[in-house]
Amino acid sequence: MKKLFISFVFSVLASFNALAEGIVSQVVSAPIFANGTVRDIPSGINIYLQTDNVHGLDFMNPDVLGYGIPPGGSLEVELVEGFERNPDVPLDGKSLLLTVGAPQQGLPEKAGGHVILEGSNPYTFVIQPTGKDGMIPEKLESPAKGVAFDQVQQRGIKIIHIGRHFAFTSRGEKGVVEVRFKDKGGNVIARGSGELPFLAEPRPQIFPTNVTHDQRNHNWQRLKPGQVVGVAKATLPMPFLLFDKNEGIGNTGIYGAGVLSAPQLKEIGYNMPEELERYTGGLILKDRDGDGFLSPLKDIIIGGIVNEVPEGATGYQVVTPLVGEKPFLSKATIDFNKRAGEAFGGAIMQVVYIAGDKTGNYRMTFSLLERLGDITSPDGSSVTYTVVVE
């Protein structure tokens, strides 16, 4: 049994950044709400976990085992500061969901063998195993339909999603959360905390998603040098959920969006303005005139891409796939998944990735400008995908 719960045998970590420490790597907006972290709006957040050996986004690698809960033990998630409780919404499996990776593949109570209850105060969730063996991380796999087709299946708890039913509202400048794993004696065996600033006003959002392809994992896909993610066997285009600036709890999408890679921009003779030089991988644009094609000279620049690649790698680029010789630009979520589209709206943008000539991890960060169309704007929302070239 000790081997099964090796994830717990580590010391509490030193802080890796100003906003998170210990087993928490970051706290971000939940990827299904336009305004999940906006002040005075119902809270929708995701708590990303990590270990002392595997930090940050690398913990989302499906080769890395997530957490379990030992027999008789528990997981506590406390919203410590900045959250106002809605007493009409219980703290249960409808207001918190464990997930096994990002984009999140859900681990509901029945499939995960656990129950979610209110803890010792109205701001604390308690997750308790229902079986005598606890929650064994190797056996924690999402029941999502597409999981069986993943190249490597995610296992173990990696993200905690709060806000399926809105039990809290964000108040003040920031929110603070704490996560605690306990053994059967009630002793804390792993702990972490994190905080996130609440936005003063809504902004456009880009999120990872897996509402396409029956919730298969589109992150950490594997392929050979020079192959194309989305074309190579067992790979899929990488999807993003896009929300325009929404007031209240609305979820209007950004339609007609796609990307032009740095090589594509160079090919058409486009000189990147100084304000956008940080986007070394290319630009994200929105079709302005409805012709179905993208140009930085006539369409709306809404963001860009930054690449992190193995040293000396060449030949890599992110591109919008073509359908009938026209770019396949973002469309309403409901066109891809009726249930998801009706539940949270928005739009889906898909990209394919041409792998470079070196083996290793290729990481792409896609960012939206805080003010779409204003190239002097700072970055607002962002999301990162990783591709493994073997």
Side-chain angles (χ1 to χ4, degrees):
M1 187 61 67
K2 180 178 179 182
K3 180 180 178 182
L4 295 176
F5 295 100
I6 193 170
S7 296
F8 293 107
V9 187
F10 61 91
S11 60
V12 175
L13 304 176
S15 175
F16 285 100
N17 57 59
L19 301 178
E21 64 179 2
I23 65 169
V24 174
S25 69
Q26 60 178 335
V27 186
V28 299
S29 178
I32 55 175
F33 306 119
N35 295 330
T37 58
V38 177
R39 189 178 306 144
D40 300 326
I41 289 180
S43 308
I45 64 172
N46 271 16
I47 304 169
Y48 278 61
L49 303 180
Q50 63 183 6
T51 69
D52 59 342
N53 295 320
V54 186
H55 307 153
L57 294 179
D58 287 337
F59 188 59
M60 298 302 122
N61 186 339
D63 287 334
V64 176
L65 185 65
Y67 285 94
I69 300 176
S74 64
L75 165 61
E76 294 182 350
V77 183
E78 183 173 5
L79 281 69
V80 177
E81 178 186 335
F83 299 94
E84 180 181 295
R85 175 67 191 277
N86 177 359
D88 295 329
V89 179
L91 303 190
D92 59 17
K94 294 181 179 179
S95 51
L96 181 146
L97 178 69
L98 301 177
T99 90
V100 297
Q104 59 191 47
Q105 293 174 323
L107 188 69
E109 289 172 292
K110 184 177 180 180
H114 62 278
V115 62
I116 300 173
L117 308 165
E118 184 174 313
S120 58
N121 64 60
Y123 294 87
T124 300
F125 294 90
V126 176
I127 297 92
Q128 296 178 335
T130 54
K132 62 181 179 62
D133 294 327
M135 296 172 67
I136 300 170
E138 288 89 342
K139 295 184 177 181
L140 296 181
E141 181 181 299
S142 174
K145 187 176 180 180
V147 166
F149 301 97
D150 284 343
Q151 292 171 307
V152 181
Q153 295 178 7
Q154 289 275 16
R155 290 183 171 87
I157 304 165
K158 293 191 173 183
I159 296 175
I160 301 164
H161 168 63
I162 297 174
R164 300 174 72 204
H165 286 187
F166 295 113
F168 299 94
T169 298
S170 305
R171 301 293 191 196
E173 298 295 320
K174 67 179 181 179
V176 179
V177 302
E178 184 169 288
V179 176
R180 302 179 289 268
F181 284 91
K182 293 185 174 182
D183 64 18
K184 64 181 180 180
N187 303 301
V188 175
I189 52 179
R191 181 198 306 267
S193 64
E195 66 178 57
L196 75 162
F198 293 139
L199 301 176
E201 62 179 32
R203 64 176 56 164
Q205 297 284 354
I206 183 170
F207 294 122
T209 187
N210 57 13
V211 302
T212 59
H213 308 103
D214 295 322
Q215 293 184 278
R216 285 177 61 182
N217 184 14
H218 302 79
N219 204 359
W220 290 90
Q221 297 188 75
R222 284 130 168 93
L223 74 170
K224 301 297 182 183
Q227 291 186 322
V228 182
V229 174
V231 177
K233 184 179 179 180
T235 67
L236 300 167
M238 293 180 288
F240 301 83
L241 182 60
L242 301 177
F243 293 127
D244 208 339
K245 182 175 180 179
N246 282 243
E247 299 300 330
I249 57 174
N251 281 341
T252 302
I254 302 173
Y255 310 107
V259 304
L260 288 176
S261 69
Q264 288 176 315
L265 293 170
K266 182 178 180 180
E267 185 177 341
I268 64 174
Y270 179 71
N271 294 316
M272 192 77 81
E274 181 180 353
E275 296 91 341
L276 301 176
E277 286 180 348
R278 64 188 182 278
Y279 295 142
T280 55
L283 296 176
I284 309 172
L285 303 106
K286 174 179 167 60
D287 183 18
R288 186 196 301 267
D289 57 14
D291 67 354
F293 293 92
L294 297 176
S295 167
L297 300 177
K298 67 180 182 64
D299 292 317
I300 304 170
I301 297 173
I302 63 173
I305 307 160
V306 176
N307 289 314
E308 180 184 341
V309 303
E311 185 175 357
T314 62
Y316 55 87
Q317 62 174 312
V318 180
V319 297
T320 296
L322 298 177
V323 175
E325 299 184 356
K326 295 186 71 173
F328 189 70
L329 305 180
S330 62
K331 301 172 62 178
T333 301
I334 199 169
D335 292 339
F336 297 88
N337 185 307
K338 185 174 186 295
R339 181 179 178 184
E342 292 175 345
F344 48 81
I348 301 290
M349 179 182 76
Q350 296 187 99
V351 303
V352 297
Y353 186 72
I354 302 172
D357 60 343
K358 305 289 186 182
T359 59
N361 292 345
Y362 289 71
R363 189 160 283 169
M364 301 139 278
T365 297
F366 297 75
S367 299
L368 293 184
L369 296 170
E370 192 172 304
R371 300 180 300 276
L372 303 186
D374 180 356
I375 66 172
T376 68
S377 169
D379 290 343
S381 175
S382 65
V383 61
T384 300
Y385 274 96
T386 302
V387 168
V388 182
V389 177
E390 301 174 320

PDB file of all heavy atoms in Angstrom, residues 270-295:
ATOM      1  N   TYR A 270       4.687  40.401 -43.824  1.00  0.00           N
ATOM      2  CA  TYR A 270       4.176  41.219 -42.707  1.00  0.00           C
ATOM      3  C   TYR A 270       5.295  41.463 -41.705  1.00  0.00           C
ATOM      4  O   TYR A 270       5.948  40.521 -41.222  1.00  0.00           O
ATOM      5  CB  TYR A 270       3.019  40.508 -42.032  1.00  0.00           C
ATOM      6  CG  TYR A 270       2.436  41.264 -40.852  1.00  0.00           C
ATOM      7  CD1 TYR A 270       1.695  42.423 -41.039  1.00  0.00           C
ATOM      8  CD2 TYR A 270       2.629  40.800 -39.554  1.00  0.00           C
ATOM      9  CE1 TYR A 270       1.165  43.110 -39.961  1.00  0.00           C
ATOM     10  CE2 TYR A 270       2.102  41.477 -38.478  1.00  0.00           C
ATOM     11  CZ  TYR A 270       1.370  42.638 -38.677  1.00  0.00           C
ATOM     12  OH  TYR A 270       0.840  43.314 -37.604  1.00  0.00           O
ATOM     13  N   ASN A 271       5.528  42.714 -41.379  1.00  0.00           N
ATOM     14  CA  ASN A 271       6.513  43.084 -40.367  1.00  0.00           C
ATOM     15  C   ASN A 271       5.814  43.274 -39.031  1.00  0.00           C
ATOM     16  O   ASN A 271       4.945  44.144 -38.891  1.00  0.00           O
ATOM     17  CB  ASN A 271       7.233  44.373 -40.768  1.00  0.00           C
ATOM     18  CG  ASN A 271       8.091  44.192 -42.005  1.00  0.00           C
ATOM     19  OD1 ASN A 271       8.799  43.194 -42.129  1.00  0.00           O
ATOM     20  ND2 ASN A 271       8.031  45.149 -42.924  1.00  0.00           N
ATOM     21  N   MET A 272       6.186  42.470 -38.052  1.00  0.00           N
ATOM     22  CA  MET A 272       5.535  42.510 -36.751  1.00  0.00           C
ATOM     23  C   MET A 272       5.792  43.851 -36.066  1.00  0.00           C
ATOM     24  O   MET A 272       6.949  44.264 -35.909  1.00  0.00           O
ATOM     25  CB  MET A 272       6.061  41.383 -35.869  1.00  0.00           C
ATOM     26  CG  MET A 272       5.253  41.165 -34.607  1.00  0.00           C
ATOM     27  SD  MET A 272       3.704  40.279 -34.891  1.00  0.00           S
ATOM     28  CE  MET A 272       4.287  38.580 -34.961  1.00  0.00           C
ATOM     29  N   PRO A 273       4.736  44.576 -35.659  1.00  0.00           N
ATOM     30  CA  PRO A 273       4.937  45.830 -34.939  1.00  0.00           C
ATOM     31  C   PRO A 273       5.682  45.584 -33.620  1.00  0.00           C
ATOM     32  O   PRO A 273       5.592  44.494 -33.036  1.00  0.00           O
ATOM     33  CB  PRO A 273       3.506  46.313 -34.671  1.00  0.00           C
ATOM     34  CG  PRO A 273       2.658  45.593 -35.653  1.00  0.00           C
ATOM     35  CD  PRO A 273       3.312  44.274 -35.880  1.00  0.00           C
ATOM     36  N   GLU A 274       6.393  46.580 -33.170  1.00  0.00           N
ATOM     37  CA  GLU A 274       7.162  46.450 -31.936  1.00  0.00           C
ATOM     38  C   GLU A 274       6.265  46.014 -30.777  1.00  0.00           C
ATOM     39  O   GLU A 274       6.684  45.230 -29.911  1.00  0.00           O
ATOM     40  CB  GLU A 274       7.830  47.788 -31.610  1.00  0.00           C
ATOM     41  CG  GLU A 274       8.684  47.756 -30.357  1.00  0.00           C
ATOM     42  CD  GLU A 274       9.334  49.096 -30.077  1.00  0.00           C
ATOM     43  OE1 GLU A 274       9.228  50.004 -30.936  1.00  0.00           O
ATOM     44  OE2 GLU A 274       9.947  49.233 -29.001  1.00  0.00           O
ATOM     45  N   GLU A 275       5.025  46.514 -30.761  1.00  0.00           N
ATOM     46  CA  GLU A 275       4.118  46.188 -29.658  1.00  0.00           C
ATOM     47  C   GLU A 275       3.767  44.704 -29.609  1.00  0.00           C
ATOM     48  O   GLU A 275       3.295  44.201 -28.583  1.00  0.00           O
ATOM     49  CB  GLU A 275       2.818  46.988 -29.783  1.00  0.00           C
ATOM     50  CG  GLU A 275       2.983  48.490 -29.651  1.00  0.00           C
ATOM     51  CD  GLU A 275       3.226  49.157 -30.997  1.00  0.00           C
ATOM     52  OE1 GLU A 275       3.626  48.452 -31.959  1.00  0.00           O
ATOM     53  OE2 GLU A 275       3.025  50.384 -31.088  1.00  0.00           O
ATOM     54  N   LEU A 276       3.975  43.983 -30.724  1.00  0.00           N
ATOM     55  CA  LEU A 276       3.591  42.572 -30.794  1.00  0.00           C
ATOM     56  C   LEU A 276       4.791  41.635 -30.937  1.00  0.00           C
ATOM     57  O   LEU A 276       4.610  40.434 -31.137  1.00  0.00           O
ATOM     58  CB  LEU A 276       2.639  42.353 -31.980  1.00  0.00           C
ATOM     59  CG  LEU A 276       1.331  43.148 -31.968  1.00  0.00           C
ATOM     60  CD1 LEU A 276       0.558  42.902 -33.258  1.00  0.00           C
ATOM     61  CD2 LEU A 276       0.471  42.767 -30.761  1.00  0.00           C
ATOM     62  N   GLU A 277       5.987  42.166 -30.806  1.00  0.00           N
ATOM     63  CA  GLU A 277       7.180  41.350 -31.038  1.00  0.00           C
ATOM     64  C   GLU A 277       7.303  40.198 -30.042  1.00  0.00           C
ATOM     65  O   GLU A 277       8.007  39.222 -30.304  1.00  0.00           O
ATOM     66  CB  GLU A 277       8.435  42.224 -30.987  1.00  0.00           C
ATOM     67  CG  GLU A 277       8.599  43.099 -32.225  1.00  0.00           C
ATOM     68  CD  GLU A 277       9.852  43.951 -32.169  1.00  0.00           C
ATOM     69  OE1 GLU A 277      10.473  44.030 -31.072  1.00  0.00           O
ATOM     70  OE2 GLU A 277      10.215  44.542 -33.204  1.00  0.00           O
ATOM     71  N   ARG A 278       6.600  40.297 -28.914  1.00  0.00           N
ATOM     72  CA  ARG A 278       6.652  39.198 -27.939  1.00  0.00           C
ATOM     73  C   ARG A 278       6.011  37.928 -28.485  1.00  0.00           C
ATOM     74  O   ARG A 278       6.291  36.827 -27.999  1.00  0.00           O
ATOM     75  CB  ARG A 278       5.955  39.610 -26.640  1.00  0.00           C
ATOM     76  CG  ARG A 278       4.450  39.881 -26.766  1.00  0.00           C
ATOM     77  CD  ARG A 278       3.920  40.466 -25.462  1.00  0.00           C
ATOM     78  NE  ARG A 278       2.480  40.728 -25.448  1.00  0.00           N
ATOM     79  CZ  ARG A 278       1.915  41.820 -25.960  1.00  0.00           C
ATOM     80  NH1 ARG A 278       2.670  42.742 -26.546  1.00  0.00           N
ATOM     81  NH2 ARG A 278       0.606  42.004 -25.865  1.00  0.00           N
ATOM     82  N   TYR A 279       5.169  38.060 -29.488  1.00  0.00           N
ATOM     83  CA  TYR A 279       4.475  36.896 -30.060  1.00  0.00           C
ATOM     84  C   TYR A 279       5.352  36.243 -31.126  1.00  0.00           C
ATOM     85  O   TYR A 279       5.129  36.371 -32.333  1.00  0.00           O
ATOM     86  CB  TYR A 279       3.138  37.327 -30.661  1.00  0.00           C
ATOM     87  CG  TYR A 279       2.142  37.853 -29.660  1.00  0.00           C
ATOM     88  CD1 TYR A 279       1.319  38.933 -29.976  1.00  0.00           C
ATOM     89  CD2 TYR A 279       2.000  37.281 -28.395  1.00  0.00           C
ATOM     90  CE1 TYR A 279       0.377  39.411 -29.076  1.00  0.00           C
ATOM     91  CE2 TYR A 279       1.074  37.760 -27.479  1.00  0.00           C
ATOM     92  CZ  TYR A 279       0.271  38.827 -27.832  1.00  0.00           C
ATOM     93  OH  TYR A 279      -0.658  39.306 -26.936  1.00  0.00           O
ATOM     94  N   THR A 280       6.340  35.509 -30.673  1.00  0.00           N
ATOM     95  CA  THR A 280       7.326  34.913 -31.569  1.00  0.00           C
ATOM     96  C   THR A 280       6.756  33.771 -32.409  1.00  0.00           C
ATOM     97  O   THR A 280       7.341  33.388 -33.429  1.00  0.00           O
ATOM     98  CB  THR A 280       8.515  34.386 -30.757  1.00  0.00           C
ATOM     99  OG1 THR A 280       8.024  33.480 -29.744  1.00  0.00           O
ATOM    100  CG2 THR A 280       9.257  35.537 -30.080  1.00  0.00           C
ATOM    101  N   GLY A 281       5.613  33.200 -31.987  1.00  0.00           N
ATOM    102  CA  GLY A 281       5.048  32.071 -32.700  1.00  0.00           C
ATOM    103  C   GLY A 281       3.987  32.433 -33.715  1.00  0.00           C
ATOM    104  O   GLY A 281       3.590  31.589 -34.531  1.00  0.00           O
ATOM    105  N   GLY A 282       3.491  33.672 -33.678  1.00  0.00           N
ATOM    106  CA  GLY A 282       2.444  34.077 -34.615  1.00  0.00           C
ATOM    107  C   GLY A 282       1.353  34.865 -33.938  1.00  0.00           C
ATOM    108  O   GLY A 282       1.463  35.248 -32.763  1.00  0.00           O
ATOM    109  N   LEU A 283       0.282  35.118 -34.669  1.00  0.00           N
ATOM    110  CA  LEU A 283      -0.812  35.951 -34.189  1.00  0.00           C
ATOM    111  C   LEU A 283      -2.132  35.188 -34.185  1.00  0.00           C
ATOM    112  O   LEU A 283      -2.343  34.269 -34.991  1.00  0.00           O
ATOM    113  CB  LEU A 283      -0.963  37.191 -35.067  1.00  0.00           C
ATOM    114  CG  LEU A 283       0.186  38.191 -35.086  1.00  0.00           C
ATOM    115  CD1 LEU A 283      -0.094  39.305 -36.096  1.00  0.00           C
ATOM    116  CD2 LEU A 283       0.433  38.774 -33.694  1.00  0.00           C
ATOM    117  N   ILE A 284      -3.014  35.598 -33.280  1.00  0.00           N
ATOM    118  CA  ILE A 284      -4.402  35.138 -33.278  1.00  0.00           C
ATOM    119  C   ILE A 284      -5.241  36.294 -33.825  1.00  0.00           C
ATOM    120  O   ILE A 284      -5.120  37.428 -33.349  1.00  0.00           O
ATOM    121  CB  ILE A 284      -4.885  34.759 -31.869  1.00  0.00           C
ATOM    122  CG1 ILE A 284      -3.906  33.791 -31.196  1.00  0.00           C
ATOM    123  CG2 ILE A 284      -6.285  34.149 -31.919  1.00  0.00           C
ATOM    124  CD1 ILE A 284      -4.214  33.523 -29.727  1.00  0.00           C
ATOM    125  N   LEU A 285      -6.058  36.015 -34.838  1.00  0.00           N
ATOM    126  CA  LEU A 285      -6.845  37.061 -35.486  1.00  0.00           C
ATOM    127  C   LEU A 285      -8.314  36.682 -35.557  1.00  0.00           C
ATOM    128  O   LEU A 285      -8.667  35.509 -35.522  1.00  0.00           O
ATOM    129  CB  LEU A 285      -6.316  37.324 -36.902  1.00  0.00           C
ATOM    130  CG  LEU A 285      -4.850  37.724 -37.010  1.00  0.00           C
ATOM    131  CD1 LEU A 285      -4.043  36.559 -37.557  1.00  0.00           C
ATOM    132  CD2 LEU A 285      -4.671  38.955 -37.874  1.00  0.00           C
ATOM    133  N   LYS A 286      -9.146  37.704 -35.709  1.00  0.00           N
ATOM    134  CA  LYS A 286     -10.584  37.513 -35.904  1.00  0.00           C
ATOM    135  C   LYS A 286     -10.975  38.105 -37.251  1.00  0.00           C
ATOM    136  O   LYS A 286     -10.661  39.263 -37.547  1.00  0.00           O
ATOM    137  CB  LYS A 286     -11.372  38.188 -34.777  1.00  0.00           C
ATOM    138  CG  LYS A 286     -12.887  38.178 -34.955  1.00  0.00           C
ATOM    139  CD  LYS A 286     -13.565  38.854 -33.776  1.00  0.00           C
ATOM    140  CE  LYS A 286     -15.029  39.154 -34.055  1.00  0.00           C
ATOM    141  NZ  LYS A 286     -15.815  37.955 -34.351  1.00  0.00           N
ATOM    142  N   ASP A 287     -11.625  37.302 -38.063  1.00  0.00           N
ATOM    143  CA  ASP A 287     -12.075  37.735 -39.382  1.00  0.00           C
ATOM    144  C   ASP A 287     -13.022  38.929 -39.237  1.00  0.00           C
ATOM    145  O   ASP A 287     -14.045  38.842 -38.568  1.00  0.00           O
ATOM    146  CB  ASP A 287     -12.776  36.561 -40.076  1.00  0.00           C
ATOM    147  CG  ASP A 287     -13.221  36.892 -41.480  1.00  0.00           C
ATOM    148  OD1 ASP A 287     -12.718  37.871 -42.058  1.00  0.00           O
ATOM    149  OD2 ASP A 287     -14.084  36.158 -42.001  1.00  0.00           O
ATOM    150  N   ARG A 288     -12.663  40.043 -39.869  1.00  0.00           N
ATOM    151  CA  ARG A 288     -13.454  41.256 -39.722  1.00  0.00           C
ATOM    152  C   ARG A 288     -14.565  41.374 -40.767  1.00  0.00           C
ATOM    153  O   ARG A 288     -15.685  41.791 -40.482  1.00  0.00           O
ATOM    154  CB  ARG A 288     -12.557  42.496 -39.836  1.00  0.00           C
ATOM    155  CG  ARG A 288     -13.266  43.816 -39.558  1.00  0.00           C
ATOM    156  CD  ARG A 288     -12.434  44.995 -40.055  1.00  0.00           C
ATOM    157  NE  ARG A 288     -11.128  45.061 -39.448  1.00  0.00           N
ATOM    158  CZ  ARG A 288     -10.840  45.776 -38.354  1.00  0.00           C
ATOM    159  NH1 ARG A 288     -11.798  46.464 -37.741  1.00  0.00           N
ATOM    160  NH2 ARG A 288      -9.608  45.805 -37.874  1.00  0.00           N
ATOM    161  N   ASP A 289     -14.239  40.981 -42.017  1.00  0.00           N
ATOM    162  CA  ASP A 289     -15.183  41.240 -43.108  1.00  0.00           C
ATOM    163  C   ASP A 289     -15.991  40.018 -43.532  1.00  0.00           C
ATOM    164  O   ASP A 289     -16.791  40.084 -44.462  1.00  0.00           O
ATOM    165  CB  ASP A 289     -14.444  41.810 -44.322  1.00  0.00           C
ATOM    166  CG  ASP A 289     -13.324  40.904 -44.814  1.00  0.00           C
ATOM    167  OD1 ASP A 289     -13.272  39.730 -44.395  1.00  0.00           O
ATOM    168  OD2 ASP A 289     -12.504  41.370 -45.635  1.00  0.00           O
ATOM    169  N   GLY A 290     -15.770  38.887 -42.843  1.00  0.00           N
ATOM    170  CA  GLY A 290     -16.575  37.716 -43.142  1.00  0.00           C
ATOM    171  C   GLY A 290     -16.188  36.964 -44.391  1.00  0.00           C
ATOM    172  O   GLY A 290     -16.943  36.095 -44.854  1.00  0.00           O
ATOM    173  N   ASP A 291     -14.988  37.234 -44.959  1.00  0.00           N
ATOM    174  CA  ASP A 291     -14.598  36.519 -46.183  1.00  0.00           C
ATOM    175  C   ASP A 291     -14.037  35.135 -45.887  1.00  0.00           C
ATOM    176  O   ASP A 291     -13.754  34.356 -46.797  1.00  0.00           O
ATOM    177  CB  ASP A 291     -13.607  37.340 -46.998  1.00  0.00           C
ATOM    178  CG  ASP A 291     -12.256  37.516 -46.310  1.00  0.00           C
ATOM    179  OD1 ASP A 291     -12.104  37.094 -45.136  1.00  0.00           O
ATOM    180  OD2 ASP A 291     -11.344  38.097 -46.943  1.00  0.00           O
ATOM    181  N   GLY A 292     -13.836  34.816 -44.595  1.00  0.00           N
ATOM    182  CA  GLY A 292     -13.369  33.488 -44.218  1.00  0.00           C
ATOM    183  C   GLY A 292     -11.870  33.317 -44.252  1.00  0.00           C
ATOM    184  O   GLY A 292     -11.369  32.218 -43.992  1.00  0.00           O
ATOM    185  N   PHE A 293     -11.125  34.376 -44.562  1.00  0.00           N
ATOM    186  CA  PHE A 293      -9.664  34.330 -44.576  1.00  0.00           C
ATOM    187  C   PHE A 293      -9.127  35.321 -43.549  1.00  0.00           C
ATOM    188  O   PHE A 293      -9.830  36.244 -43.125  1.00  0.00           O
ATOM    189  CB  PHE A 293      -9.125  34.650 -45.964  1.00  0.00           C
ATOM    190  CG  PHE A 293      -9.452  33.601 -46.996  1.00  0.00           C
ATOM    191  CD1 PHE A 293     -10.606  33.715 -47.765  1.00  0.00           C
ATOM    192  CD2 PHE A 293      -8.629  32.507 -47.180  1.00  0.00           C
ATOM    193  CE1 PHE A 293     -10.927  32.745 -48.716  1.00  0.00           C
ATOM    194  CE2 PHE A 293      -8.937  31.534 -48.124  1.00  0.00           C
ATOM    195  CZ  PHE A 293     -10.090  31.649 -48.891  1.00  0.00           C
ATOM    196  N   LEU A 294      -7.840  35.132 -43.168  1.00  0.00           N
ATOM    197  CA  LEU A 294      -7.232  35.982 -42.149  1.00  0.00           C
ATOM    198  C   LEU A 294      -6.067  36.773 -42.723  1.00  0.00           C
ATOM    199  O   LEU A 294      -5.253  36.245 -43.489  1.00  0.00           O
ATOM    200  CB  LEU A 294      -6.740  35.132 -40.977  1.00  0.00           C
ATOM    201  CG  LEU A 294      -7.806  34.368 -40.191  1.00  0.00           C
ATOM    202  CD1 LEU A 294      -7.155  33.492 -39.122  1.00  0.00           C
ATOM    203  CD2 LEU A 294      -8.823  35.320 -39.562  1.00  0.00           C
ATOM    204  N   SER A 295      -5.994  38.053 -42.338  1.00  0.00           N
ATOM    205  CA  SER A 295      -4.882  38.914 -42.724  1.00  0.00           C
ATOM    206  C   SER A 295      -4.640  39.918 -41.606  1.00  0.00           C
ATOM    207  O   SER A 295      -5.585  40.558 -41.135  1.00  0.00           O
ATOM    208  CB  SER A 295      -5.191  39.669 -44.012  1.00  0.00           C
ATOM    209  OG  SER A 295      -4.248  40.721 -44.214  1.00  0.00           O
TER     210      SER A 295
END
